[in-house]
Amino acid sequence: MNGGDDARSGRRLLRSGLGVGVAATLASGANYLSNVALGRALDPGEFADAALVVSGLLLLSALALGFQLTVARAVAAGDHPFVGRAQRA
């Protein structure tokens, strides 16, 4: 790689990181606004129930994402038993 390729790669990485940062900030803002709306609409017991459900769903989605990434890594590495079958078909 020459210096120009390194600079383009660095800018691309910065843009993608900036995009992820903006998306995370927007998600946090939406989370905050939904908590404010639910906090005003629900009594404390109902809000606690809603927060518990949301936290449980967040935990399940994190576990599902971890499983998805593990399977994707195994398939990309060729360690999955169906990779050979899919390539032959």
Side-chain angles (χ1 to χ4, degrees), residues 29-72:
N31 184 28
Y32 174 75
L33 292 175
S34 68
N35 279 328
V36 169
L38 286 174
R40 292 186 179 271
L42 303 175
D43 66 26
E46 291 172 332
F47 182 78
D49 292 341
L52 181 65
V53 169
V54 168
S55 296
L57 290 174
L58 183 61
L59 178 64
L60 289 176
S61 69
L63 292 173
L65 179 62
F67 179 72
Q68 178 184 3
L69 291 174
T70 302
V71 170

PDB file of all heavy atoms in Angstrom, residues 29-72:
ATOM      1  N   GLY A  29     -30.553   8.762  22.313  1.00  0.00           N
ATOM      2  CA  GLY A  29     -31.558   9.825  22.410  1.00  0.00           C
ATOM      3  C   GLY A  29     -32.971   9.287  22.340  1.00  0.00           C
ATOM      4  O   GLY A  29     -33.853   9.713  23.096  1.00  0.00           O
ATOM      5  N   ALA A  30     -33.199   8.346  21.432  1.00  0.00           N
ATOM      6  CA  ALA A  30     -34.526   7.729  21.326  1.00  0.00           C
ATOM      7  C   ALA A  30     -34.870   6.955  22.589  1.00  0.00           C
ATOM      8  O   ALA A  30     -36.017   6.993  23.061  1.00  0.00           O
ATOM      9  CB  ALA A  30     -34.579   6.812  20.102  1.00  0.00           C
ATOM     10  N   ASN A  31     -33.894   6.280  23.157  1.00  0.00           N
ATOM     11  CA  ASN A  31     -34.103   5.558  24.404  1.00  0.00           C
ATOM     12  C   ASN A  31     -34.477   6.524  25.525  1.00  0.00           C
ATOM     13  O   ASN A  31     -35.397   6.273  26.307  1.00  0.00           O
ATOM     14  CB  ASN A  31     -32.846   4.766  24.764  1.00  0.00           C
ATOM     15  CG  ASN A  31     -33.023   3.916  25.976  1.00  0.00           C
ATOM     16  OD1 ASN A  31     -34.117   3.472  26.292  1.00  0.00           O
ATOM     17  ND2 ASN A  31     -31.937   3.688  26.694  1.00  0.00           N
ATOM     18  N   TYR A  32     -33.760   7.644  25.610  1.00  0.00           N
ATOM     19  CA  TYR A  32     -34.050   8.645  26.631  1.00  0.00           C
ATOM     20  C   TYR A  32     -35.465   9.192  26.463  1.00  0.00           C
ATOM     21  O   TYR A  32     -36.224   9.287  27.432  1.00  0.00           O
ATOM     22  CB  TYR A  32     -33.024   9.778  26.563  1.00  0.00           C
ATOM     23  CG  TYR A  32     -33.345  10.923  27.486  1.00  0.00           C
ATOM     24  CD1 TYR A  32     -33.128  10.809  28.852  1.00  0.00           C
ATOM     25  CD2 TYR A  32     -33.880  12.110  26.997  1.00  0.00           C
ATOM     26  CE1 TYR A  32     -33.434  11.842  29.709  1.00  0.00           C
ATOM     27  CE2 TYR A  32     -34.189  13.153  27.846  1.00  0.00           C
ATOM     28  CZ  TYR A  32     -33.972  13.018  29.200  1.00  0.00           C
ATOM     29  OH  TYR A  32     -34.282  14.051  30.041  1.00  0.00           O
ATOM     30  N   LEU A  33     -35.820   9.547  25.235  1.00  0.00           N
ATOM     31  CA  LEU A  33     -37.153  10.099  24.999  1.00  0.00           C
ATOM     32  C   LEU A  33     -38.256   9.093  25.303  1.00  0.00           C
ATOM     33  O   LEU A  33     -39.297   9.459  25.857  1.00  0.00           O
ATOM     34  CB  LEU A  33     -37.265  10.597  23.557  1.00  0.00           C
ATOM     35  CG  LEU A  33     -36.417  11.821  23.227  1.00  0.00           C
ATOM     36  CD1 LEU A  33     -36.516  12.156  21.746  1.00  0.00           C
ATOM     37  CD2 LEU A  33     -36.824  13.005  24.086  1.00  0.00           C
ATOM     38  N   SER A  34     -38.027   7.828  24.974  1.00  0.00           N
ATOM     39  CA  SER A  34     -39.048   6.822  25.294  1.00  0.00           C
ATOM     40  C   SER A  34     -39.158   6.633  26.798  1.00  0.00           C
ATOM     41  O   SER A  34     -40.265   6.453  27.324  1.00  0.00           O
ATOM     42  CB  SER A  34     -38.746   5.493  24.601  1.00  0.00           C
ATOM     43  OG  SER A  34     -37.584   4.897  25.139  1.00  0.00           O
ATOM     44  N   ASN A  35     -38.048   6.710  27.527  1.00  0.00           N
ATOM     45  CA  ASN A  35     -38.104   6.617  28.983  1.00  0.00           C
ATOM     46  C   ASN A  35     -38.851   7.797  29.588  1.00  0.00           C
ATOM     47  O   ASN A  35     -39.621   7.634  30.538  1.00  0.00           O
ATOM     48  CB  ASN A  35     -36.701   6.511  29.582  1.00  0.00           C
ATOM     49  CG  ASN A  35     -36.152   5.116  29.517  1.00  0.00           C
ATOM     50  OD1 ASN A  35     -36.886   4.148  29.599  1.00  0.00           O
ATOM     51  ND2 ASN A  35     -34.848   5.019  29.361  1.00  0.00           N
ATOM     52  N   VAL A  36     -38.623   8.997  29.052  1.00  0.00           N
ATOM     53  CA  VAL A  36     -39.343  10.175  29.542  1.00  0.00           C
ATOM     54  C   VAL A  36     -40.839  10.022  29.276  1.00  0.00           C
ATOM     55  O   VAL A  36     -41.670  10.276  30.163  1.00  0.00           O
ATOM     56  CB  VAL A  36     -38.791  11.463  28.898  1.00  0.00           C
ATOM     57  CG1 VAL A  36     -39.697  12.656  29.180  1.00  0.00           C
ATOM     58  CG2 VAL A  36     -37.382  11.737  29.389  1.00  0.00           C
ATOM     59  N   ALA A  37     -41.199   9.597  28.063  1.00  0.00           N
ATOM     60  CA  ALA A  37     -42.613   9.432  27.723  1.00  0.00           C
ATOM     61  C   ALA A  37     -43.268   8.364  28.600  1.00  0.00           C
ATOM     62  O   ALA A  37     -44.371   8.568  29.122  1.00  0.00           O
ATOM     63  CB  ALA A  37     -42.751   9.077  26.239  1.00  0.00           C
ATOM     64  N   LEU A  38     -42.587   7.229  28.763  1.00  0.00           N
ATOM     65  CA  LEU A  38     -43.147   6.180  29.611  1.00  0.00           C
ATOM     66  C   LEU A  38     -43.197   6.619  31.073  1.00  0.00           C
ATOM     67  O   LEU A  38     -44.148   6.294  31.794  1.00  0.00           O
ATOM     68  CB  LEU A  38     -42.329   4.896  29.489  1.00  0.00           C
ATOM     69  CG  LEU A  38     -42.495   4.112  28.206  1.00  0.00           C
ATOM     70  CD1 LEU A  38     -41.504   2.945  28.165  1.00  0.00           C
ATOM     71  CD2 LEU A  38     -43.914   3.604  28.064  1.00  0.00           C
ATOM     72  N   GLY A  39     -42.201   7.360  31.524  1.00  0.00           N
ATOM     73  CA  GLY A  39     -42.182   7.842  32.898  1.00  0.00           C
ATOM     74  C   GLY A  39     -43.329   8.778  33.205  1.00  0.00           C
ATOM     75  O   GLY A  39     -43.854   8.786  34.321  1.00  0.00           O
ATOM     76  N   ARG A  40     -43.732   9.551  32.222  1.00  0.00           N
ATOM     77  CA  ARG A  40     -44.861  10.467  32.430  1.00  0.00           C
ATOM     78  C   ARG A  40     -46.202   9.762  32.299  1.00  0.00           C
ATOM     79  O   ARG A  40     -47.172  10.150  32.943  1.00  0.00           O
ATOM     80  CB  ARG A  40     -44.796  11.619  31.436  1.00  0.00           C
ATOM     81  CG  ARG A  40     -43.625  12.537  31.699  1.00  0.00           C
ATOM     82  CD  ARG A  40     -43.677  13.742  30.777  1.00  0.00           C
ATOM     83  NE  ARG A  40     -42.578  14.639  31.039  1.00  0.00           N
ATOM     84  CZ  ARG A  40     -42.616  15.628  31.924  1.00  0.00           C
ATOM     85  NH1 ARG A  40     -43.703  15.826  32.632  1.00  0.00           N
ATOM     86  NH2 ARG A  40     -41.580  16.413  32.091  1.00  0.00           N
ATOM     87  N   ALA A  41     -46.264   8.731  31.462  1.00  0.00           N
ATOM     88  CA  ALA A  41     -47.543   8.071  31.192  1.00  0.00           C
ATOM     89  C   ALA A  41     -47.876   6.971  32.208  1.00  0.00           C
ATOM     90  O   ALA A  41     -49.052   6.679  32.420  1.00  0.00           O
ATOM     91  CB  ALA A  41     -47.529   7.481  29.793  1.00  0.00           C
ATOM     92  N   LEU A  42     -46.870   6.381  32.822  1.00  0.00           N
ATOM     93  CA  LEU A  42     -47.098   5.235  33.698  1.00  0.00           C
ATOM     94  C   LEU A  42     -46.835   5.604  35.152  1.00  0.00           C
ATOM     95  O   LEU A  42     -46.048   6.499  35.445  1.00  0.00           O
ATOM     96  CB  LEU A  42     -46.176   4.079  33.297  1.00  0.00           C
ATOM     97  CG  LEU A  42     -46.272   3.582  31.857  1.00  0.00           C
ATOM     98  CD1 LEU A  42     -45.203   2.534  31.601  1.00  0.00           C
ATOM     99  CD2 LEU A  42     -47.652   3.032  31.572  1.00  0.00           C
ATOM    100  N   ASP A  43     -47.490   4.871  36.046  1.00  0.00           N
ATOM    101  CA  ASP A  43     -47.154   5.051  37.457  1.00  0.00           C
ATOM    102  C   ASP A  43     -45.854   4.295  37.747  1.00  0.00           C
ATOM    103  O   ASP A  43     -45.377   3.534  36.897  1.00  0.00           O
ATOM    104  CB  ASP A  43     -48.306   4.612  38.365  1.00  0.00           C
ATOM    105  CG  ASP A  43     -48.599   3.119  38.325  1.00  0.00           C
ATOM    106  OD1 ASP A  43     -47.684   2.322  38.025  1.00  0.00           O
ATOM    107  OD2 ASP A  43     -49.753   2.734  38.620  1.00  0.00           O
ATOM    108  N   PRO A  44     -45.241   4.499  38.913  1.00  0.00           N
ATOM    109  CA  PRO A  44     -43.927   3.896  39.172  1.00  0.00           C
ATOM    110  C   PRO A  44     -43.889   2.372  39.024  1.00  0.00           C
ATOM    111  O   PRO A  44     -42.920   1.827  38.491  1.00  0.00           O
ATOM    112  CB  PRO A  44     -43.615   4.319  40.604  1.00  0.00           C
ATOM    113  CG  PRO A  44     -44.346   5.606  40.776  1.00  0.00           C
ATOM    114  CD  PRO A  44     -45.609   5.437  39.983  1.00  0.00           C
ATOM    115  N   GLY A  45     -44.923   1.679  39.470  1.00  0.00           N
ATOM    116  CA  GLY A  45     -44.947   0.222  39.331  1.00  0.00           C
ATOM    117  C   GLY A  45     -45.012  -0.227  37.880  1.00  0.00           C
ATOM    118  O   GLY A  45     -44.312  -1.156  37.472  1.00  0.00           O
ATOM    119  N   GLU A  46     -45.848   0.446  37.102  1.00  0.00           N
ATOM    120  CA  GLU A  46     -45.961   0.108  35.680  1.00  0.00           C
ATOM    121  C   GLU A  46     -44.669   0.441  34.936  1.00  0.00           C
ATOM    122  O   GLU A  46     -44.253  -0.291  34.043  1.00  0.00           O
ATOM    123  CB  GLU A  46     -47.137   0.863  35.050  1.00  0.00           C
ATOM    124  CG  GLU A  46     -48.492   0.399  35.536  1.00  0.00           C
ATOM    125  CD  GLU A  46     -49.615   1.288  35.045  1.00  0.00           C
ATOM    126  OE1 GLU A  46     -49.361   2.487  34.799  1.00  0.00           O
ATOM    127  OE2 GLU A  46     -50.740   0.787  34.910  1.00  0.00           O
ATOM    128  N   PHE A  47     -44.042   1.570  35.312  1.00  0.00           N
ATOM    129  CA  PHE A  47     -42.780   1.936  34.671  1.00  0.00           C
ATOM    130  C   PHE A  47     -41.701   0.901  34.985  1.00  0.00           C
ATOM    131  O   PHE A  47     -40.912   0.542  34.113  1.00  0.00           O
ATOM    132  CB  PHE A  47     -42.317   3.320  35.117  1.00  0.00           C
ATOM    133  CG  PHE A  47     -41.050   3.762  34.447  1.00  0.00           C
ATOM    134  CD1 PHE A  47     -41.077   4.247  33.153  1.00  0.00           C
ATOM    135  CD2 PHE A  47     -39.834   3.673  35.100  1.00  0.00           C
ATOM    136  CE1 PHE A  47     -39.914   4.652  32.521  1.00  0.00           C
ATOM    137  CE2 PHE A  47     -38.661   4.067  34.483  1.00  0.00           C
ATOM    138  CZ  PHE A  47     -38.707   4.559  33.188  1.00  0.00           C
ATOM    139  N   ALA A  48     -41.688   0.407  36.215  1.00  0.00           N
ATOM    140  CA  ALA A  48     -40.714  -0.626  36.584  1.00  0.00           C
ATOM    141  C   ALA A  48     -40.930  -1.887  35.759  1.00  0.00           C
ATOM    142  O   ALA A  48     -39.970  -2.514  35.295  1.00  0.00           O
ATOM    143  CB  ALA A  48     -40.810  -0.937  38.074  1.00  0.00           C
ATOM    144  N   ASP A  49     -42.209  -2.262  35.562  1.00  0.00           N
ATOM    145  CA  ASP A  49     -42.505  -3.432  34.729  1.00  0.00           C
ATOM    146  C   ASP A  49     -42.043  -3.218  33.289  1.00  0.00           C
ATOM    147  O   ASP A  49     -41.445  -4.107  32.674  1.00  0.00           O
ATOM    148  CB  ASP A  49     -44.004  -3.740  34.753  1.00  0.00           C
ATOM    149  CG  ASP A  49     -44.485  -4.236  36.106  1.00  0.00           C
ATOM    150  OD1 ASP A  49     -43.645  -4.684  36.915  1.00  0.00           O
ATOM    151  OD2 ASP A  49     -45.709  -4.165  36.356  1.00  0.00           O
ATOM    152  N   ALA A  50     -42.324  -2.039  32.748  1.00  0.00           N
ATOM    153  CA  ALA A  50     -41.917  -1.736  31.374  1.00  0.00           C
ATOM    154  C   ALA A  50     -40.391  -1.744  31.254  1.00  0.00           C
ATOM    155  O   ALA A  50     -39.841  -2.275  30.291  1.00  0.00           O
ATOM    156  CB  ALA A  50     -42.479  -0.387  30.937  1.00  0.00           C
ATOM    157  N   ALA A  51     -39.704  -1.177  32.250  1.00  0.00           N
ATOM    158  CA  ALA A  51     -38.243  -1.154  32.213  1.00  0.00           C
ATOM    159  C   ALA A  51     -37.684  -2.567  32.295  1.00  0.00           C
ATOM    160  O   ALA A  51     -36.690  -2.888  31.642  1.00  0.00           O
ATOM    161  CB  ALA A  51     -37.702  -0.302  33.354  1.00  0.00           C
ATOM    162  N   LEU A  52     -38.315  -3.423  33.074  1.00  0.00           N
ATOM    163  CA  LEU A  52     -37.874  -4.813  33.182  1.00  0.00           C
ATOM    164  C   LEU A  52     -38.025  -5.538  31.845  1.00  0.00           C
ATOM    165  O   LEU A  52     -37.125  -6.259  31.414  1.00  0.00           O
ATOM    166  CB  LEU A  52     -38.660  -5.534  34.277  1.00  0.00           C
ATOM    167  CG  LEU A  52     -38.302  -6.987  34.531  1.00  0.00           C
ATOM    168  CD1 LEU A  52     -36.879  -7.086  35.070  1.00  0.00           C
ATOM    169  CD2 LEU A  52     -39.276  -7.600  35.520  1.00  0.00           C
ATOM    170  N   VAL A  53     -39.149  -5.333  31.184  1.00  0.00           N
ATOM    171  CA  VAL A  53     -39.383  -5.972  29.884  1.00  0.00           C
ATOM    172  C   VAL A  53     -38.372  -5.469  28.857  1.00  0.00           C
ATOM    173  O   VAL A  53     -37.774  -6.266  28.113  1.00  0.00           O
ATOM    174  CB  VAL A  53     -40.835  -5.734  29.407  1.00  0.00           C
ATOM    175  CG1 VAL A  53     -41.009  -6.144  27.953  1.00  0.00           C
ATOM    176  CG2 VAL A  53     -41.815  -6.479  30.289  1.00  0.00           C
ATOM    177  N   VAL A  54     -38.153  -4.164  28.812  1.00  0.00           N
ATOM    178  CA  VAL A  54     -37.204  -3.593  27.855  1.00  0.00           C
ATOM    179  C   VAL A  54     -35.797  -4.115  28.133  1.00  0.00           C
ATOM    180  O   VAL A  54     -35.056  -4.471  27.214  1.00  0.00           O
ATOM    181  CB  VAL A  54     -37.258  -2.051  27.884  1.00  0.00           C
ATOM    182  CG1 VAL A  54     -36.099  -1.439  27.118  1.00  0.00           C
ATOM    183  CG2 VAL A  54     -38.579  -1.562  27.331  1.00  0.00           C
ATOM    184  N   SER A  55     -35.417  -4.183  29.402  1.00  0.00           N
ATOM    185  CA  SER A  55     -34.087  -4.694  29.751  1.00  0.00           C
ATOM    186  C   SER A  55     -33.944  -6.161  29.361  1.00  0.00           C
ATOM    187  O   SER A  55     -32.892  -6.573  28.871  1.00  0.00           O
ATOM    188  CB  SER A  55     -33.829  -4.531  31.252  1.00  0.00           C
ATOM    189  OG  SER A  55     -33.813  -3.176  31.596  1.00  0.00           O
ATOM    190  N   GLY A  56     -34.988  -6.945  29.578  1.00  0.00           N
ATOM    191  CA  GLY A  56     -34.954  -8.352  29.181  1.00  0.00           C
ATOM    192  C   GLY A  56     -34.812  -8.514  27.679  1.00  0.00           C
ATOM    193  O   GLY A  56     -34.036  -9.355  27.205  1.00  0.00           O
ATOM    194  N   LEU A  57     -35.535  -7.703  26.924  1.00  0.00           N
ATOM    195  CA  LEU A  57     -35.425  -7.768  25.461  1.00  0.00           C
ATOM    196  C   LEU A  57     -34.044  -7.334  24.993  1.00  0.00           C
ATOM    197  O   LEU A  57     -33.490  -7.916  24.047  1.00  0.00           O
ATOM    198  CB  LEU A  57     -36.508  -6.900  24.815  1.00  0.00           C
ATOM    199  CG  LEU A  57     -37.934  -7.421  24.948  1.00  0.00           C
ATOM    200  CD1 LEU A  57     -38.929  -6.402  24.405  1.00  0.00           C
ATOM    201  CD2 LEU A  57     -38.097  -8.747  24.241  1.00  0.00           C
ATOM    202  N   LEU A  58     -33.474  -6.345  25.654  1.00  0.00           N
ATOM    203  CA  LEU A  58     -32.124  -5.909  25.308  1.00  0.00           C
ATOM    204  C   LEU A  58     -31.114  -7.014  25.576  1.00  0.00           C
ATOM    205  O   LEU A  58     -30.220  -7.264  24.758  1.00  0.00           O
ATOM    206  CB  LEU A  58     -31.763  -4.655  26.096  1.00  0.00           C
ATOM    207  CG  LEU A  58     -30.411  -4.026  25.810  1.00  0.00           C
ATOM    208  CD1 LEU A  58     -30.321  -3.581  24.355  1.00  0.00           C
ATOM    209  CD2 LEU A  58     -30.179  -2.852  26.735  1.00  0.00           C
ATOM    210  N   LEU A  59     -31.267  -7.703  26.691  1.00  0.00           N
ATOM    211  CA  LEU A  59     -30.375  -8.814  27.005  1.00  0.00           C
ATOM    212  C   LEU A  59     -30.517  -9.939  25.986  1.00  0.00           C
ATOM    213  O   LEU A  59     -29.518 -10.476  25.499  1.00  0.00           O
ATOM    214  CB  LEU A  59     -30.664  -9.340  28.414  1.00  0.00           C
ATOM    215  CG  LEU A  59     -29.848 -10.540  28.870  1.00  0.00           C
ATOM    216  CD1 LEU A  59     -28.378 -10.181  28.945  1.00  0.00           C
ATOM    217  CD2 LEU A  59     -30.341 -11.035  30.209  1.00  0.00           C
ATOM    218  N   LEU A  60     -31.751 -10.277  25.625  1.00  0.00           N
ATOM    219  CA  LEU A  60     -31.960 -11.328  24.625  1.00  0.00           C
ATOM    220  C   LEU A  60     -31.383 -10.936  23.265  1.00  0.00           C
ATOM    221  O   LEU A  60     -30.800 -11.771  22.574  1.00  0.00           O
ATOM    222  CB  LEU A  60     -33.448 -11.649  24.500  1.00  0.00           C
ATOM    223  CG  LEU A  60     -34.074 -12.390  25.678  1.00  0.00           C
ATOM    224  CD1 LEU A  60     -35.570 -12.552  25.467  1.00  0.00           C
ATOM    225  CD2 LEU A  60     -33.414 -13.748  25.875  1.00  0.00           C
ATOM    226  N   SER A  61     -31.529  -9.667  22.894  1.00  0.00           N
ATOM    227  CA  SER A  61     -30.984  -9.246  21.597  1.00  0.00           C
ATOM    228  C   SER A  61     -29.455  -9.272  21.615  1.00  0.00           C
ATOM    229  O   SER A  61     -28.835  -9.596  20.605  1.00  0.00           O
ATOM    230  CB  SER A  61     -31.504  -7.861  21.212  1.00  0.00           C
ATOM    231  OG  SER A  61     -30.975  -6.867  22.061  1.00  0.00           O
ATOM    232  N   ALA A  62     -28.846  -8.960  22.752  1.00  0.00           N
ATOM    233  CA  ALA A  62     -27.387  -9.041  22.848  1.00  0.00           C
ATOM    234  C   ALA A  62     -26.920 -10.484  22.727  1.00  0.00           C
ATOM    235  O   ALA A  62     -25.920 -10.774  22.062  1.00  0.00           O
ATOM    236  CB  ALA A  62     -26.909  -8.434  24.161  1.00  0.00           C
ATOM    237  N   LEU A  63     -27.634 -11.411  23.355  1.00  0.00           N
ATOM    238  CA  LEU A  63     -27.283 -12.827  23.235  1.00  0.00           C
ATOM    239  C   LEU A  63     -27.454 -13.307  21.794  1.00  0.00           C
ATOM    240  O   LEU A  63     -26.615 -14.046  21.274  1.00  0.00           O
ATOM    241  CB  LEU A  63     -28.134 -13.662  24.184  1.00  0.00           C
ATOM    242  CG  LEU A  63     -27.865 -13.455  25.673  1.00  0.00           C
ATOM    243  CD1 LEU A  63     -28.902 -14.209  26.508  1.00  0.00           C
ATOM    244  CD2 LEU A  63     -26.470 -13.887  26.036  1.00  0.00           C
ATOM    245  N   ALA A  64     -28.543 -12.892  21.151  1.00  0.00           N
ATOM    246  CA  ALA A  64     -28.778 -13.289  19.762  1.00  0.00           C
ATOM    247  C   ALA A  64     -27.700 -12.724  18.840  1.00  0.00           C
ATOM    248  O   ALA A  64     -27.236 -13.407  17.926  1.00  0.00           O
ATOM    249  CB  ALA A  64     -30.161 -12.816  19.309  1.00  0.00           C
ATOM    250  N   LEU A  65     -27.279 -11.482  19.085  1.00  0.00           N
ATOM    251  CA  LEU A  65     -26.221 -10.893  18.275  1.00  0.00           C
ATOM    252  C   LEU A  65     -24.908 -11.643  18.470  1.00  0.00           C
ATOM    253  O   LEU A  65     -24.179 -11.895  17.504  1.00  0.00           O
ATOM    254  CB  LEU A  65     -26.040  -9.421  18.626  1.00  0.00           C
ATOM    255  CG  LEU A  65     -24.940  -8.687  17.867  1.00  0.00           C
ATOM    256  CD1 LEU A  65     -25.215  -8.676  16.369  1.00  0.00           C
ATOM    257  CD2 LEU A  65     -24.785  -7.277  18.395  1.00  0.00           C
ATOM    258  N   GLY A  66     -24.607 -12.020  19.691  1.00  0.00           N
ATOM    259  CA  GLY A  66     -23.391 -12.795  19.948  1.00  0.00           C
ATOM    260  C   GLY A  66     -23.418 -14.128  19.225  1.00  0.00           C
ATOM    261  O   GLY A  66     -22.416 -14.555  18.643  1.00  0.00           O
ATOM    262  N   PHE A  67     -24.562 -14.792  19.235  1.00  0.00           N
ATOM    263  CA  PHE A  67     -24.705 -16.062  18.519  1.00  0.00           C
ATOM    264  C   PHE A  67     -24.547 -15.849  17.022  1.00  0.00           C
ATOM    265  O   PHE A  67     -23.850 -16.608  16.335  1.00  0.00           O
ATOM    266  CB  PHE A  67     -26.069 -16.686  18.838  1.00  0.00           C
ATOM    267  CG  PHE A  67     -26.317 -17.973  18.130  1.00  0.00           C
ATOM    268  CD1 PHE A  67     -25.632 -19.123  18.499  1.00  0.00           C
ATOM    269  CD2 PHE A  67     -27.222 -18.040  17.096  1.00  0.00           C
ATOM    270  CE1 PHE A  67     -25.853 -20.313  17.839  1.00  0.00           C
ATOM    271  CE2 PHE A  67     -27.449 -19.235  16.428  1.00  0.00           C
ATOM    272  CZ  PHE A  67     -26.759 -20.374  16.803  1.00  0.00           C
ATOM    273  N   GLN A  68     -25.159 -14.798  16.506  1.00  0.00           N
ATOM    274  CA  GLN A  68     -25.065 -14.502  15.072  1.00  0.00           C
ATOM    275  C   GLN A  68     -23.618 -14.238  14.667  1.00  0.00           C
ATOM    276  O   GLN A  68     -23.150 -14.744  13.637  1.00  0.00           O
ATOM    277  CB  GLN A  68     -25.928 -13.292  14.741  1.00  0.00           C
ATOM    278  CG  GLN A  68     -25.862 -12.876  13.289  1.00  0.00           C
ATOM    279  CD  GLN A  68     -26.650 -11.608  13.026  1.00  0.00           C
ATOM    280  OE1 GLN A  68     -27.214 -11.005  13.936  1.00  0.00           O
ATOM    281  NE2 GLN A  68     -26.674 -11.186  11.789  1.00  0.00           N
ATOM    282  N   LEU A  69     -22.899 -13.472  15.456  1.00  0.00           N
ATOM    283  CA  LEU A  69     -21.501 -13.184  15.134  1.00  0.00           C
ATOM    284  C   LEU A  69     -20.635 -14.434  15.210  1.00  0.00           C
ATOM    285  O   LEU A  69     -19.731 -14.630  14.389  1.00  0.00           O
ATOM    286  CB  LEU A  69     -20.958 -12.108  16.070  1.00  0.00           C
ATOM    287  CG  LEU A  69     -21.548 -10.716  15.875  1.00  0.00           C
ATOM    288  CD1 LEU A  69     -21.048  -9.770  16.955  1.00  0.00           C
ATOM    289  CD2 LEU A  69     -21.231 -10.183  14.502  1.00  0.00           C
ATOM    290  N   THR A  70     -20.908 -15.303  16.175  1.00  0.00           N
ATOM    291  CA  THR A  70     -20.150 -16.548  16.301  1.00  0.00           C
ATOM    292  C   THR A  70     -20.372 -17.448  15.093  1.00  0.00           C
ATOM    293  O   THR A  70     -19.428 -18.014  14.539  1.00  0.00           O
ATOM    294  CB  THR A  70     -20.544 -17.285  17.590  1.00  0.00           C
ATOM    295  OG1 THR A  70     -20.308 -16.411  18.706  1.00  0.00           O
ATOM    296  CG2 THR A  70     -19.764 -18.561  17.768  1.00  0.00           C
ATOM    297  N   VAL A  71     -21.618 -17.572  14.675  1.00  0.00           N
ATOM    298  CA  VAL A  71     -21.932 -18.406  13.509  1.00  0.00           C
ATOM    299  C   VAL A  71     -21.332 -17.798  12.240  1.00  0.00           C
ATOM    300  O   VAL A  71     -20.755 -18.507  11.417  1.00  0.00           O
ATOM    301  CB  VAL A  71     -23.462 -18.592  13.369  1.00  0.00           C
ATOM    302  CG1 VAL A  71     -23.813 -19.237  12.035  1.00  0.00           C
ATOM    303  CG2 VAL A  71     -23.993 -19.419  14.522  1.00  0.00           C
ATOM    304  N   ALA A  72     -21.422 -16.475  12.102  1.00  0.00           N
ATOM    305  CA  ALA A  72     -20.857 -15.822  10.913  1.00  0.00           C
ATOM    306  C   ALA A  72     -19.346 -16.030  10.848  1.00  0.00           C
ATOM    307  O   ALA A  72     -18.797 -16.283   9.775  1.00  0.00           O
ATOM    308  CB  ALA A  72     -21.189 -14.334  10.926  1.00  0.00           C
TER     309      ALA A  72
END
